[in-house]
Amino acid sequence: MSGVEEACAEITRRGAGRVVLDQAQRLKASSDWSRMSPVLAEKVPPGRYVADAVVRPAVPQDVATILQVAYEHDVPVTPRGAGTGNYGQATPFDGGILLDLRGLLDVELGDGTVTVGAGVRFSAVDKVLRAAGRDIWMFPSTKTSTIGGFIGGGSAGTGSIEHGTSSDGFVVSATIAPCDGSGELFTVSGADLVPYIHTYGVTGIVVSAEVRTDPAREWISVYAAYGDYAGLAAGLAAMADVRPLPRLVSGDEPPLVASLPASVPLDPQTCSLRIIAEATSIEQVRDAVARTGGSIVAELTDYVEGDRLSGMSYNHPVWFFQRAHPDETWFHMETAGQVVVDDPAAVRELYDGPVYMHLEQFARGPGGMLVAGYTGEADVLAGMARMDAIGLGVHSPHQWYVDRNVELAIETAKRTDPKGLLNRGKLTATPPVDSRVNIGVRS
């Protein structure tokens, strides 16, 4: 028997999880949404890297036991939630076990917080919270993502204008399963959380987390239209002065608007600005739109409309645009900085051919997604130096390496994963491509 076969047999014997060896299920579980990136579509296409087994734990202790067995048999383990990540973080480069965490579904309401299993989807926990008169601090644009996946690989989303990123207090505490042979769980909080947030599970697997909530508010989904990019940018900037702060502010210029799946008709010849606003601020929003030359298209009060609007934020407009142009290849870069408002011409010169902008209001200012035609990885990466030159923050969605608190993650993993079995290929101090994160560094 191979090491994986022996490990799976032992996991089954201990009753620590359901082992799946079916090829079709292994293939499906071994890929995520990295196909959004033409670079990653070439490097990690479905079928190139496939786990030898999928293991599905049912309770947190199962994860600790699975990792103990993996440690004993030197079997690599790659964690996975709903598979909605875009950067190939859940790719099992060395085969082994694909750890499907979607069976960890506990939800426990606390005083201003909620403690949830790593497999709970944001859509499910939000339903529980709204019934209890609470709002979760933030949720990603893919609301069917899992809490564990977002903490391990996500960063920001709806609610981030007010509350920042997943590293800015969203997580109160987390229970971690290490791959150190102990078979035990431990809980971290405060500053000790840092090496476990946005590190793709290389320092230990988050099996549950306590995250912050707010008293529920009445949200209104607002659609506004602008005749040109200057007005759109001005409208986006004006929303930063609305109080209470909006939950989300997103905008697109016409080439991207045409493919948005909005619940109201959008003129594909105009720019679209979309806001999730607290009900008491709606007059401020109307005034800001009018003052910056826009017009209100719709104001929708049904809570579910906020989810629909959120589904057109962050990188989703890029995906809709790509899907609408199947015979063309487009890529995007995540950007941030005042230059997207003040000097869009400089942004459009970063790459050859047409360059389109999706705008997003972040906690620290404007940013968004730059969209351009794909001619090769070298050309994509070369644009990063040009972004530096114009003061534009950048994060490349075309690489899978841990890109935050790398030194701390490496030091932590020496204790929590001494054999280097967790999510192999994602943690290195010297990635072969530019994996910097400087979004938000510049004012």
Side-chain angles (χ1 to χ4, degrees):
M1 295 177 69
S2 69
V4 174
E5 289 173 324
E6 292 176 348
C8 288
E10 180 65 11
I11 290 167
T12 299
R13 188 186 71 79
R14 297 194 192 186
R18 183 163 67 92
V19 174
V20 178
L21 301 177
D22 176 75
Q23 183 179 6
Q25 293 191 55
R26 289 189 291 114
L27 178 62
K28 182 178 181 180
S30 296
S31 297
D32 60 12
W33 273 86
S34 55
R35 58 186 176 274
M36 268 197 67
S37 160
V39 176
L40 297 184
E42 295 169 358
K43 292 184 175 182
V44 291
R48 180 167 294 176
Y49 301 101
V50 181
D52 297 299
V54 176
V55 180
R56 295 179 171 139
V59 296
Q61 183 55 46
D62 284 351
V63 180
T65 301
I66 292 165
L67 295 189
Q68 183 182 39
V69 173
Y71 181 89
E72 293 168 352
H73 292 271
D74 295 319
V75 173
V77 178
T78 303
R80 182 190 193 273
T84 58
N86 301 123
Y87 311 135
Q89 307 106 309
T91 304
F93 288 135
D94 287 338
I97 288 173
L98 195 293
L99 188 64
D100 184 341
L101 299 165
R102 288 177 294 173
L104 306 182
L105 297 174
D106 287 344
V107 177
E108 182 180 350
L109 295 176
D111 184 12
T113 66
V114 61
T115 301
V116 293
V120 178
R121 297 176 187 265
F122 277 89
S123 53
V125 73
D126 189 51
K127 184 177 181 179
V128 172
L129 288 173
R130 290 291 293 186
R134 307 294 299 180
D135 279 334
I136 197 164
W137 259 26
M138 68 183 73
F139 56 85
S141 49
T142 305
K143 203 173 183 181
T144 53
S145 298
T146 63
I147 295 280
F150 181 68
I151 292 173
S155 181
T158 300
S160 286
I161 297 174
E162 179 178 2
H163 294 303
T165 72
S166 57
S167 300
D168 296 321
F170 172 63
V171 184
V172 177
S173 66
T175 299
I176 310 294
C179 192
D180 59 0
S182 68
E184 298 179 352
L185 302 169
F186 64 89
T187 300
V188 291
S189 60
D192 293 335
L193 283 161
V194 173
Y196 304 99
I197 296 177
H198 199 80
T199 49
Y200 310 165
V202 300
T203 53
I205 308 300
V206 175
V207 297
S208 68
E210 181 186 11
V211 298
R212 295 191 191 277
T213 68
D214 284 325
R217 288 180 268 181
E218 180 184 351
W219 300 104
I220 298 178
S221 298
V222 180
Y223 290 79
Y226 287 85
D228 55 29
Y229 182 90
L232 174 69
L236 182 99
M239 295 304 150
D241 295 324
V242 171
R243 294 295 182 275
L245 284 166
R247 210 176 192 190
L248 185 77
V249 181
S250 300
D252 292 281
E253 52 185 332
L256 300 177
V257 172
S259 53
L260 292 176
S263 57
V264 297
L266 300 180
D267 183 350
Q269 302 302 314
T270 63
C271 298
S272 170
L273 184 67
R274 302 173 299 281
I275 309 105
I276 301 178
E278 207 273 339
T280 62
S281 70
I282 192 63
E283 287 298 336
Q284 297 177 61
V285 170
R286 292 168 181 161
D287 290 345
V289 169
R291 188 172 66 252
T292 53
S295 59
I296 298 293
V297 174
E299 296 176 4
L300 309 177
T301 57
D302 189 344
Y303 182 76
V304 73
E305 293 295 342
D307 291 351
R308 292 173 179 165
L309 194 151
S310 179
M312 293 180 284
S313 66
Y314 287 80
N315 56 17
H316 281 215
V318 181
W319 163 242
F320 297 134
F321 181 71
Q322 290 173 327
R323 189 175 61 179
H325 298 82
D327 298 328
E328 304 169 355
T329 305
W330 298 85
F331 75 93
H332 73 289
M333 295 290 276
E334 300 172 3
T335 62
Q338 193 62 32
V339 65
V340 299
V341 171
D342 295 342
D343 194 0
V347 177
R348 298 184 195 282
E349 292 173 358
L350 291 169
Y351 292 100
D352 293 334
V355 173
Y356 306 131
M357 287 297 298
H358 163 76
L359 296 181
E360 203 75 49
Q361 185 66 34
F362 299 138
R364 297 181 181 179
M369 308 291 162
L370 175 157
V371 185
Y374 181 65
T375 54
E377 181 183 15
D379 292 337
V380 171
L381 296 178
M384 296 176 76
R386 295 190 286 271
M387 293 181 195
D388 278 341
I390 65 171
L392 187 64
V394 57
H395 171 252
S396 170
H398 309 291
Q399 53 83 27
W400 52 72
Y401 300 99
V402 173
D403 49 23
R404 299 182 190 177
N405 303 300
V406 178
E407 292 182 2
L408 179 58
I410 290 173
E411 287 302 310
T412 302
K414 290 178 181 178
R415 304 189 311 273
T416 59
D417 182 29
K419 291 186 176 182
L421 297 173
L422 292 178
N423 213 354
R424 279 183 170 172
K426 313 307 192 306
L427 180 60
T428 175
T430 56
V433 297
D434 195 333
S435 61
R436 87 190 90 171
V437 172
N438 59 17
I439 284 180
V441 172
R442 298 181 179 86
S443 60

